[in-house]
Amino acid sequence: MNLMMPLLRRSVSSLLMVAAISPFTACAQTPAAPVATKKPVVVVVATGGTIAGAGASSANSATYQAAKVPVDKLIAGLPELADVAEVRGQQAFQIASESFTNEKLVALGKQVSALVKDPSVNGVVITHGTDTLEETSFFLNLVIRSDKPIVVVGSMRPGTALSADGALNLYDAVSLAASPSARGKGVLVMMNDDILSGRDVAKRVNIKTNAFGSQWGPLGMMVERRAYWFRAPVKRQTTKSEFDIDTITTLPEVAIVYGSGNMGTLGVEAATKAGVKAIVHAGTGNGSVPDYGVEGLKAARAAGIQIIRSSRIADGFVLRNSEQPDDKYDWVVAHDLNPQKAKILAALALTKATSSADLQRMFWEY
Ligand code: DGL
């Protein structure tokens, strides 16, 4: 038997195969000229933080100055972004995020709201310090009336450090903001490959690149420009919210009093004297209040200050009428919101809510 036959047959058949798929095969009509697809437009609004930070040497992963690199240099330093979208930059602030104020929060909200109203803009990325990133993302999730992708991103190491995380975080954030699948999922946070809900996210580690998470888990992951989704938010947000940044000028003052053993009454007394509109009591355990602290909170309530029981514990949620008779004292519980996010919602809610019952409704719904 001629051993060459099978080899010959295989080579003939493979030749035909090549002919069948070769781009140079003569075909009836001329292939259409490739149509240049217009890239999505993503605007990067920079506020500062470590993602714009710089250290003295590459060995400085934790010792550096935040808020140094301007937005145009952040974008220019990542030429890969041009493969993803037409990227434009706006410098909102250049600050470390622990220095955010209510005024800056409202101004940023109005800047983002104006951008998402622009029909030529497909998505917005906000570069931000990580310290108060969760507060800004929750706030924007409550006040921006749009289903366009809005992605908040930061980094735990400055771009000058070995194994800096900012470049990939920013690349992923722009890719996510350019993704149609990210529409309608509320404000998102892009950190360390994870896509997190702007509502649920919290900074849970203060010095590692896997700093961000949520007790309810991420919404999905970003891998090589593609978003992989595994769940969607269920709480009211963005287009379903009753809050609208365009109707907000200032936010009422809200204080957080941190619970501990032997916490005393100074915090509540000082907040009451300062005339805040609400006190978030970050209690121990399930939002516990020491027996010697109840009267001070009742007096604050009697003075018209809303009392919101939250917990210093990261996970779980505060149960109404469990540790304290909230119905009897006319107090509110923060549900699963940590004290700093309870403060954001309380401040916004107090621009609308007049009763503690309405305030409590908002803590159940958002
Ligand atoms: N100062 C902190 C801030 O701007 C640095 C932390 C960071 O951005 O990662 O939030």
Side-chain angles (χ1 to χ4, degrees):
M1 186 179 80
N2 181 346
L3 289 181
M4 285 302 289
M5 273 307 283
L7 194 63
L8 192 59
R9 195 179 296 125
R10 203 165 44 237
S11 54
V12 167
S13 62
S14 56
L15 265 177
L16 288 175
M17 262 282 282
V18 166
I21 58 174
S22 160
F24 303 107
T25 308
C27 54
Q29 71 281 0
T30 310
V35 177
T37 50
K38 187 177 178 327
K39 284 197 177 63
V41 172
V42 172
V43 181
V44 175
V45 178
T47 71
T50 296
I51 196 166
S57 85
S58 59
N60 288 121
S61 59
T63 308
Y64 56 85
Q65 284 202 302
K68 288 293 168 205
V69 181
V71 63
D72 56 344
K73 287 200 169 17
L74 285 178
I75 295 169
L78 209 46
E80 293 86 349
L81 291 178
D83 303 332
V84 177
E86 179 192 327
V87 180
R88 302 171 190 163
Q90 288 187 0
Q91 192 80 42
F93 318 115
Q94 186 67 294
I95 59 171
S97 70
E98 63 269 25
S99 303
F100 254 80
T101 60
N102 282 348
E103 291 70 30
K104 285 186 161 51
L105 211 44
V106 171
L108 178 64
K110 291 182 184 298
Q111 188 168 347
V112 172
S113 179
L115 282 169
V116 293
K117 287 191 175 84
D118 179 342
S120 71
V121 172
N122 295 83
V124 174
V125 167
I126 295 132
T127 57
H128 197 289
T130 58
D131 285 7
T132 63
L133 189 148
E134 65 207 74
E135 287 139 277
T136 298
S137 57
F138 185 39
F139 177 76
L140 296 174
N141 197 48
L142 293 167
V143 300
I144 305 292
R145 292 285 188 85
S146 170
D147 65 357
K148 285 185 181 177
I150 297 168
V151 184
V152 188
V153 65
S155 73
M156 293 302 291
R157 297 174 182 154
T160 48
L162 291 172
S163 300
D165 54 328
L168 183 56
N169 284 354
L170 182 53
Y171 180 77
D172 285 345
V174 170
S175 301
L176 185 58
S179 308
S181 71
R183 285 185 77 104
K185 292 199 170 59
V187 170
L188 301 168
V189 171
M190 187 68 235
M191 287 295 289
N192 198 43
D193 306 326
D194 282 336
I195 303 171
L196 294 144
S197 152
R199 177 198 183 272
D200 302 342
V201 70
K203 185 173 181 179
R204 301 166 74 95
V205 183
N206 74 343
I207 203 162
K208 292 170 71 174
T209 51
N210 65 335
F212 283 79
S214 154
Q215 66 171 324
W216 313 123
L219 298 179
M221 273 189 77
M222 203 73 203
V223 182
E224 295 188 357
R225 287 177 56 179
R226 185 170 166 198
Y228 295 84
W229 301 100
F230 300 99
R231 64 183 189 87
V234 294
K235 296 284 187 177
R236 286 181 74 174
Q237 60 187 19
T238 59
T239 54
K240 303 272 190 311
S241 174
E242 64 199 277
F243 306 108
D244 182 350
I245 189 64
D246 296 340
T247 65
I248 293 167
T249 48
T250 56
L251 292 172
E253 283 303 322
V254 175
I256 297 174
V257 175
Y258 195 83
S260 64
N262 190 46
M263 68 180 280
T265 58
L266 192 61
V268 172
E269 285 164 4
T272 304
K273 196 171 168 208
V276 299
K277 301 301 179 200
I279 292 173
V280 174
H281 188 278
T284 53
N286 191 347
S288 308
V289 176
D291 52 11
Y292 58 76
V294 171
E295 287 312 311
L297 288 175
K298 285 168 69 176
R301 185 71 196 102
I305 297 172
Q306 290 288 355
I307 304 301
I308 297 143
R309 282 197 307 117
S310 177
S311 171
R312 72 179 196 178
I313 308 296
D315 292 350
F317 57 82
V318 176
L319 215 58
R320 188 170 173 82
N321 295 316
S322 56
E323 282 292 336
Q324 291 293 331
D326 300 298
D327 290 353
K328 180 180 169 193
Y329 294 162
D330 196 28
W331 292 355
V332 171
V333 292
H335 203 28
D336 68 325
L337 292 179
N338 66 25
Q340 53 271 30
K341 283 193 270 185
K343 174 179 174 181
I344 291 285
L345 180 53
L348 264 177
L350 289 170
T351 64
K352 283 181 175 290
T354 48
S355 69
S356 54
D358 203 23
L359 190 58
Q360 183 65 79
R361 169 189 65 80
M362 295 174 179
F363 272 88
W364 294 143
E365 291 181 0
Y366 289 97

Short mmCIF file of all heavy atoms in Angstrom, two decimals, residues 219-263:
data_model
loop_
_atom_site.label_atom_id
_atom_site.label_comp_id
_atom_site.label_asym_id
_atom_site.label_seq_id
_atom_site.Cartn_x
_atom_site.Cartn_y
_atom_site.Cartn_z
N LEU A 219 -20.23 42.61 42.23
CA LEU A 219 -21.25 42.36 41.19
C LEU A 219 -20.67 41.49 40.09
O LEU A 219 -21.38 40.79 39.38
CB LEU A 219 -21.72 43.70 40.59
CG LEU A 219 -22.38 44.69 41.55
CD1 LEU A 219 -22.75 45.96 40.80
CD2 LEU A 219 -23.60 44.09 42.22
N GLY A 220 -19.32 41.60 39.93
CA GLY A 220 -18.69 40.84 38.86
C GLY A 220 -17.20 41.12 38.81
O GLY A 220 -16.63 41.63 39.79
N MET A 221 -16.60 40.76 37.68
CA MET A 221 -15.16 40.95 37.50
C MET A 221 -14.88 41.54 36.13
O MET A 221 -15.63 41.31 35.18
CB MET A 221 -14.43 39.60 37.62
CG MET A 221 -14.04 39.22 39.02
SD MET A 221 -12.95 37.77 39.03
CE MET A 221 -11.40 38.53 38.52
N MET A 222 -13.80 42.26 36.02
CA MET A 222 -13.33 42.81 34.75
C MET A 222 -12.06 42.06 34.40
O MET A 222 -11.11 42.00 35.20
CB MET A 222 -13.02 44.30 34.95
CG MET A 222 -13.05 45.13 33.71
SD MET A 222 -14.75 45.34 33.17
CE MET A 222 -14.46 45.68 31.43
N VAL A 223 -12.07 41.42 33.24
CA VAL A 223 -10.87 40.70 32.79
C VAL A 223 -10.63 41.01 31.32
O VAL A 223 -11.50 40.79 30.49
CB VAL A 223 -11.02 39.17 32.97
CG1 VAL A 223 -9.73 38.47 32.54
CG2 VAL A 223 -11.39 38.81 34.39
N GLU A 224 -9.48 41.61 31.03
CA GLU A 224 -9.09 41.93 29.65
C GLU A 224 -10.21 42.62 28.88
O GLU A 224 -10.67 42.14 27.84
CB GLU A 224 -8.62 40.65 28.94
CG GLU A 224 -7.35 40.09 29.59
CD GLU A 224 -6.73 38.93 28.82
OE1 GLU A 224 -7.34 38.52 27.80
OE2 GLU A 224 -5.69 38.44 29.24
N ARG A 225 -10.68 43.73 29.44
CA ARG A 225 -11.64 44.64 28.81
C ARG A 225 -13.07 44.10 28.81
O ARG A 225 -13.96 44.73 28.29
CB ARG A 225 -11.25 44.98 27.37
CG ARG A 225 -10.09 45.92 27.26
CD ARG A 225 -9.68 46.19 25.85
NE ARG A 225 -10.74 46.70 25.00
CZ ARG A 225 -10.56 47.02 23.73
NH1 ARG A 225 -9.38 46.87 23.18
NH2 ARG A 225 -11.55 47.47 22.99
N ARG A 226 -13.29 42.92 29.39
CA ARG A 226 -14.64 42.36 29.36
C ARG A 226 -15.19 42.23 30.77
O ARG A 226 -14.49 41.79 31.69
CB ARG A 226 -14.64 40.98 28.69
CG ARG A 226 -16.03 40.44 28.54
CD ARG A 226 -16.12 39.21 27.68
NE ARG A 226 -17.43 38.58 27.88
CZ ARG A 226 -17.69 37.34 27.54
NH1 ARG A 226 -16.75 36.59 27.01
NH2 ARG A 226 -18.89 36.83 27.74
N ALA A 227 -16.45 42.67 30.95
CA ALA A 227 -17.11 42.58 32.25
C ALA A 227 -17.84 41.25 32.35
O ALA A 227 -18.58 40.87 31.44
CB ALA A 227 -18.10 43.71 32.40
N TYR A 228 -17.59 40.52 33.44
CA TYR A 228 -18.30 39.27 33.72
C TYR A 228 -19.19 39.52 34.93
O TYR A 228 -18.71 39.80 36.01
CB TYR A 228 -17.29 38.15 34.01
CG TYR A 228 -16.41 37.80 32.82
CD1 TYR A 228 -15.25 38.54 32.55
CD2 TYR A 228 -16.74 36.78 31.94
CE1 TYR A 228 -14.45 38.26 31.45
CE2 TYR A 228 -15.95 36.48 30.84
CZ TYR A 228 -14.81 37.24 30.60
OH TYR A 228 -14.02 36.96 29.49
N TRP A 229 -20.52 39.49 34.73
CA TRP A 229 -21.49 39.82 35.77
C TRP A 229 -22.01 38.56 36.47
O TRP A 229 -22.28 37.57 35.81
CB TRP A 229 -22.65 40.60 35.17
CG TRP A 229 -22.22 41.87 34.49
CD1 TRP A 229 -22.04 42.07 33.15
CD2 TRP A 229 -21.91 43.12 35.12
NE1 TRP A 229 -21.62 43.36 32.91
CE2 TRP A 229 -21.53 44.02 34.09
CE3 TRP A 229 -21.89 43.55 36.44
CZ2 TRP A 229 -21.16 45.34 34.36
CZ3 TRP A 229 -21.52 44.85 36.71
CH2 TRP A 229 -21.17 45.74 35.68
N PHE A 230 -22.22 38.65 37.79
CA PHE A 230 -22.74 37.52 38.55
C PHE A 230 -23.94 37.87 39.42
O PHE A 230 -24.62 36.99 39.93
CB PHE A 230 -21.62 36.91 39.41
CG PHE A 230 -20.48 36.43 38.57
CD1 PHE A 230 -19.34 37.20 38.41
CD2 PHE A 230 -20.57 35.23 37.88
CE1 PHE A 230 -18.29 36.78 37.59
CE2 PHE A 230 -19.54 34.80 37.06
CZ PHE A 230 -18.39 35.58 36.91
N ARG A 231 -24.17 39.22 39.62
CA ARG A 231 -25.40 39.63 40.30
C ARG A 231 -25.66 41.10 39.99
O ARG A 231 -24.79 41.79 39.42
CB ARG A 231 -25.30 39.39 41.81
CG ARG A 231 -24.25 40.21 42.53
CD ARG A 231 -24.18 39.83 44.01
NE ARG A 231 -23.32 40.76 44.72
CZ ARG A 231 -23.77 41.92 45.23
NH1 ARG A 231 -25.04 42.24 45.13
NH2 ARG A 231 -22.93 42.74 45.84
N ALA A 232 -26.86 41.56 40.33
CA ALA A 232 -27.22 42.96 40.07
C ALA A 232 -27.78 43.57 41.35
O ALA A 232 -28.36 42.86 42.18
CB ALA A 232 -28.24 43.03 38.94
N PRO A 233 -27.64 44.90 41.53
CA PRO A 233 -28.13 45.57 42.74
C PRO A 233 -29.65 45.49 42.83
O PRO A 233 -30.34 45.42 41.80
CB PRO A 233 -27.68 47.02 42.57
CG PRO A 233 -26.63 46.99 41.50
CD PRO A 233 -26.95 45.83 40.63
N VAL A 234 -30.20 45.49 44.05
CA VAL A 234 -31.66 45.43 44.23
C VAL A 234 -32.21 46.69 44.90
O VAL A 234 -33.41 46.91 44.91
CB VAL A 234 -32.07 44.18 45.07
CG1 VAL A 234 -31.76 42.90 44.33
CG2 VAL A 234 -31.40 44.21 46.44
N LYS A 235 -31.34 47.52 45.44
CA LYS A 235 -31.81 48.71 46.15
C LYS A 235 -32.07 49.86 45.16
O LYS A 235 -31.55 49.87 44.05
CB LYS A 235 -30.75 49.14 47.17
CG LYS A 235 -30.52 48.11 48.28
CD LYS A 235 -31.63 48.12 49.29
CE LYS A 235 -31.30 47.22 50.48
NZ LYS A 235 -32.32 47.25 51.53
N ARG A 236 -32.85 50.86 45.58
CA ARG A 236 -33.13 52.05 44.75
C ARG A 236 -31.83 52.80 44.51
O ARG A 236 -31.00 52.94 45.42
CB ARG A 236 -34.13 52.98 45.45
CG ARG A 236 -35.55 52.48 45.45
CD ARG A 236 -36.48 53.48 46.13
NE ARG A 236 -36.73 54.65 45.29
CZ ARG A 236 -37.62 55.61 45.65
NH1 ARG A 236 -38.25 55.55 46.82
NH2 ARG A 236 -37.83 56.65 44.86
N GLN A 237 -31.68 53.30 43.26
CA GLN A 237 -30.46 54.03 42.92
C GLN A 237 -30.66 54.81 41.62
O GLN A 237 -31.61 54.56 40.89
CB GLN A 237 -29.30 53.05 42.74
CG GLN A 237 -29.56 52.06 41.63
CD GLN A 237 -28.51 50.96 41.54
OE1 GLN A 237 -27.78 50.72 42.49
NE2 GLN A 237 -28.43 50.30 40.42
N THR A 238 -29.80 55.76 41.37
CA THR A 238 -29.74 56.57 40.12
C THR A 238 -31.15 56.90 39.57
O THR A 238 -31.86 57.68 40.18
CB THR A 238 -28.87 55.86 39.06
OG1 THR A 238 -29.42 54.57 38.77
CG2 THR A 238 -27.42 55.71 39.54
N THR A 239 -31.54 56.26 38.48
CA THR A 239 -32.81 56.68 37.85
C THR A 239 -34.02 56.33 38.72
O THR A 239 -35.11 56.85 38.49
CB THR A 239 -32.97 55.96 36.49
OG1 THR A 239 -32.83 54.55 36.71
CG2 THR A 239 -31.93 56.44 35.49
N LYS A 240 -33.86 55.45 39.70
CA LYS A 240 -35.00 55.07 40.57
C LYS A 240 -34.97 55.86 41.89
O LYS A 240 -35.77 55.61 42.80
CB LYS A 240 -34.94 53.56 40.88
CG LYS A 240 -34.94 52.66 39.66
CD LYS A 240 -36.33 52.31 39.21
CE LYS A 240 -36.39 51.22 38.15
NZ LYS A 240 -35.48 51.42 37.01
N SER A 241 -34.01 56.77 42.01
CA SER A 241 -33.85 57.49 43.28
C SER A 241 -34.79 58.69 43.36
O SER A 241 -35.13 59.28 42.34
CB SER A 241 -32.40 57.99 43.40
OG SER A 241 -32.26 58.81 44.56
N GLU A 242 -35.19 59.05 44.57
CA GLU A 242 -36.02 60.27 44.75
C GLU A 242 -35.12 61.50 44.94
O GLU A 242 -35.61 62.62 45.00
CB GLU A 242 -36.95 60.10 45.95
CG GLU A 242 -36.28 59.96 47.29
CD GLU A 242 -37.18 59.35 48.35
OE1 GLU A 242 -37.99 60.10 48.94
OE2 GLU A 242 -37.10 58.14 48.57
N PHE A 243 -33.81 61.28 45.03
CA PHE A 243 -32.87 62.39 45.18
C PHE A 243 -32.33 62.80 43.80
O PHE A 243 -32.16 61.96 42.93
CB PHE A 243 -31.71 61.98 46.10
CG PHE A 243 -32.15 61.44 47.44
CD1 PHE A 243 -32.03 60.09 47.72
CD2 PHE A 243 -32.73 62.27 48.38
CE1 PHE A 243 -32.46 59.58 48.95
CE2 PHE A 243 -33.16 61.78 49.60
CZ PHE A 243 -33.03 60.43 49.90
N ASP A 244 -32.06 64.09 43.66
CA ASP A 244 -31.56 64.58 42.37
C ASP A 244 -30.54 65.69 42.64
O ASP A 244 -30.87 66.73 43.22
CB ASP A 244 -32.74 65.13 41.54
CG ASP A 244 -32.28 65.62 40.16
OD1 ASP A 244 -31.04 65.69 39.94
OD2 ASP A 244 -33.15 65.92 39.33
N ILE A 245 -29.30 65.46 42.21
CA ILE A 245 -28.21 66.41 42.49
C ILE A 245 -28.55 67.81 41.98
O ILE A 245 -28.14 68.82 42.55
CB ILE A 245 -26.88 65.92 41.92
CG1 ILE A 245 -25.71 66.79 42.39
CG2 ILE A 245 -26.92 65.89 40.37
CD1 ILE A 245 -25.44 66.76 43.86
N ASP A 246 -29.35 67.86 40.90
CA ASP A 246 -29.67 69.17 40.32
C ASP A 246 -30.58 70.01 41.20
O ASP A 246 -30.75 71.20 40.99
CB ASP A 246 -30.29 68.99 38.92
CG ASP A 246 -29.30 68.34 37.95
OD1 ASP A 246 -28.07 68.41 38.24
OD2 ASP A 246 -29.74 67.74 36.95
N THR A 247 -31.15 69.39 42.24
CA THR A 247 -32.02 70.16 43.16
C THR A 247 -31.34 70.36 44.51
O THR A 247 -31.95 70.87 45.44
CB THR A 247 -33.35 69.39 43.39
OG1 THR A 247 -33.03 68.16 44.10
CG2 THR A 247 -34.04 69.05 42.08
N ILE A 248 -30.09 69.94 44.62
CA ILE A 248 -29.38 70.02 45.91
C ILE A 248 -28.32 71.11 45.86
O ILE A 248 -27.55 71.20 44.90
CB ILE A 248 -28.73 68.65 46.25
CG1 ILE A 248 -29.81 67.60 46.52
CG2 ILE A 248 -27.81 68.76 47.49
CD1 ILE A 248 -29.29 66.17 46.55
N THR A 249 -28.30 71.95 46.88
CA THR A 249 -27.22 72.96 46.95
C THR A 249 -26.31 72.69 48.16
O THR A 249 -25.10 72.68 48.03
CB THR A 249 -27.84 74.38 47.10
OG1 THR A 249 -28.83 74.31 48.15
CG2 THR A 249 -28.52 74.81 45.82
N THR A 250 -26.93 72.42 49.31
CA THR A 250 -26.09 72.11 50.48
C THR A 250 -26.66 70.86 51.17
O THR A 250 -27.81 70.48 50.94
CB THR A 250 -26.15 73.26 51.52
OG1 THR A 250 -27.53 73.48 51.86
CG2 THR A 250 -25.52 74.53 50.97
N LEU A 251 -25.82 70.25 52.01
CA LEU A 251 -26.23 69.06 52.76
C LEU A 251 -26.26 69.38 54.24
O LEU A 251 -25.33 70.04 54.75
CB LEU A 251 -25.26 67.92 52.50
CG LEU A 251 -25.26 67.33 51.08
CD1 LEU A 251 -24.12 66.33 50.92
CD2 LEU A 251 -26.59 66.68 50.76
N PRO A 252 -27.28 68.93 54.97
CA PRO A 252 -27.33 69.17 56.42
C PRO A 252 -26.16 68.48 57.13
O PRO A 252 -25.63 67.48 56.65
CB PRO A 252 -28.66 68.53 56.84
CG PRO A 252 -29.42 68.28 55.60
CD PRO A 252 -28.45 68.19 54.48
N GLU A 253 -25.75 69.04 58.26
CA GLU A 253 -24.64 68.46 59.02
C GLU A 253 -25.11 67.23 59.81
O GLU A 253 -26.15 67.28 60.48
CB GLU A 253 -24.06 69.48 60.00
CG GLU A 253 -23.16 70.53 59.34
CD GLU A 253 -21.98 69.92 58.58
OE1 GLU A 253 -21.40 68.91 59.06
OE2 GLU A 253 -21.69 70.43 57.48
N VAL A 254 -24.35 66.16 59.71
CA VAL A 254 -24.65 64.92 60.44
C VAL A 254 -23.36 64.49 61.14
O VAL A 254 -22.28 64.55 60.55
CB VAL A 254 -25.11 63.82 59.46
CG1 VAL A 254 -25.31 62.49 60.20
CG2 VAL A 254 -26.39 64.24 58.74
N ALA A 255 -23.48 64.12 62.43
CA ALA A 255 -22.28 63.69 63.16
C ALA A 255 -22.31 62.18 63.37
O ALA A 255 -23.38 61.58 63.45
CB ALA A 255 -22.23 64.39 64.51
N ILE A 256 -21.12 61.59 63.46
CA ILE A 256 -21.00 60.17 63.82
C ILE A 256 -20.36 60.12 65.21
O ILE A 256 -19.33 60.77 65.46
CB ILE A 256 -20.10 59.40 62.83
CG1 ILE A 256 -20.71 59.40 61.42
CG2 ILE A 256 -19.89 57.96 63.32
CD1 ILE A 256 -19.80 58.77 60.36
N VAL A 257 -20.98 59.36 66.10
CA VAL A 257 -20.39 59.15 67.42
C VAL A 257 -19.98 57.69 67.51
O VAL A 257 -20.80 56.80 67.25
CB VAL A 257 -21.40 59.50 68.55
CG1 VAL A 257 -20.80 59.15 69.92
CG2 VAL A 257 -21.77 60.97 68.48
N TYR A 258 -18.69 57.44 67.79
CA TYR A 258 -18.16 56.07 67.70
C TYR A 258 -18.30 55.35 69.03
O TYR A 258 -17.86 55.86 70.07
CB TYR A 258 -16.68 56.13 67.30
CG TYR A 258 -16.11 54.81 66.83
CD1 TYR A 258 -16.27 54.39 65.51
CD2 TYR A 258 -15.43 53.96 67.72
CE1 TYR A 258 -15.75 53.17 65.08
CE2 TYR A 258 -14.92 52.74 67.29
CZ TYR A 258 -15.08 52.36 65.98
OH TYR A 258 -14.58 51.15 65.54
N GLY A 259 -18.92 54.18 68.99
CA GLY A 259 -19.15 53.42 70.22
C GLY A 259 -17.93 52.64 70.66
O GLY A 259 -17.16 52.17 69.82
N SER A 260 -17.75 52.55 71.99
CA SER A 260 -16.67 51.72 72.55
C SER A 260 -16.99 51.49 74.02
O SER A 260 -17.91 52.11 74.57
CB SER A 260 -15.33 52.47 72.43
OG SER A 260 -15.39 53.64 73.24
N GLY A 261 -16.22 50.61 74.65
CA GLY A 261 -16.41 50.46 76.09
C GLY A 261 -16.01 51.79 76.75
O GLY A 261 -15.11 52.48 76.26
N ASN A 262 -16.72 52.19 77.79
CA ASN A 262 -16.40 53.42 78.51
C ASN A 262 -16.40 54.65 77.58
O ASN A 262 -15.55 55.53 77.66
CB ASN A 262 -15.01 53.29 79.18
CG ASN A 262 -14.75 54.44 80.15
OD1 ASN A 262 -15.62 54.80 80.94
ND2 ASN A 262 -13.58 55.04 80.05
N MET A 263 -17.35 54.67 76.61
CA MET A 263 -17.35 55.75 75.59
C MET A 263 -17.78 57.09 76.17
O MET A 263 -17.56 58.14 75.58
CB MET A 263 -18.24 55.37 74.40
CG MET A 263 -19.72 55.32 74.70
SD MET A 263 -20.70 54.86 73.24
CE MET A 263 -20.78 56.41 72.37
#
